[in-house]
Amino acid sequence: MSKKMILLACGTGMSTTMLVNKIKKIVQDQELNYDFHACSMDEANAIMDQEKVDVLLLGPQVAYMENSISKARAPQGINVGVINKDDYGLANGKNVLTYAETLL
């Protein structure tokens, strides 16, 4: 089975990078079949145009984009959600991973 692609996107991709690094450690330790990437919203749109993405998780600072992105990406089967602000602020990789799994 191919890996599920999960993007975490924020304004510039910097704050999601720390969170993705924590998630990647969990994924590696548990030998899960997920590929997580951190990116800016501009990069996320380019990636979603070119690759198979399963889930897009938005940082709280870009939560206002959720509805428009969900509608635009629905034909591709991309599930979109907003990361809980507390989990985001504390970089709680375990909770964010669990949330991503609910969207798969």
Side-chain angles (χ1 to χ4, degrees):
M1 178 173 27
S2 64
K3 286 187 174 186
K4 298 289 185 182
M5 168 83 89
I6 302 166
L7 298 180
L8 274 69
C10 62
T12 62
M14 292 174 58
S15 53
T16 51
T17 297
M18 292 183 292
L19 185 51
V20 163
N21 288 338
K22 288 188 173 195
I23 295 169
K24 283 183 175 182
K25 172 111 175 72
I26 297 167
V27 167
Q28 181 181 2
D29 290 348
Q30 295 182 12
E31 298 180 2
L32 301 173
N33 205 21
Y34 304 133
D35 194 8
F36 276 83
H37 293 280
C39 56
S40 69
M41 278 309 306
D42 289 339
E43 292 168 327
N45 283 314
I47 292 168
M48 290 185 291
D49 287 343
Q50 298 175 3
E51 297 182 40
K52 169 72 172 111
V53 174
D54 298 288
V55 173
L56 171 65
L57 295 179
L58 302 173
Q61 68 273 44
V62 293
Y64 67 93
M65 298 176 160
E66 180 183 19
N67 289 337
S68 62
I69 294 171
S70 291
K71 288 177 187 173
R73 299 299 176 167
Q76 293 172 272
I78 300 172
N79 294 319
V80 180
V82 176
I83 301 167
N84 175 283
K85 64 180 175 57
D86 293 329
D87 292 335
Y88 191 84
L90 296 171
N92 188 328
K94 182 179 181 221
N95 285 356
V96 175
L97 172 59
T98 299
Y99 178 53
E101 289 176 321
T102 66
L103 295 174
L104 285 172

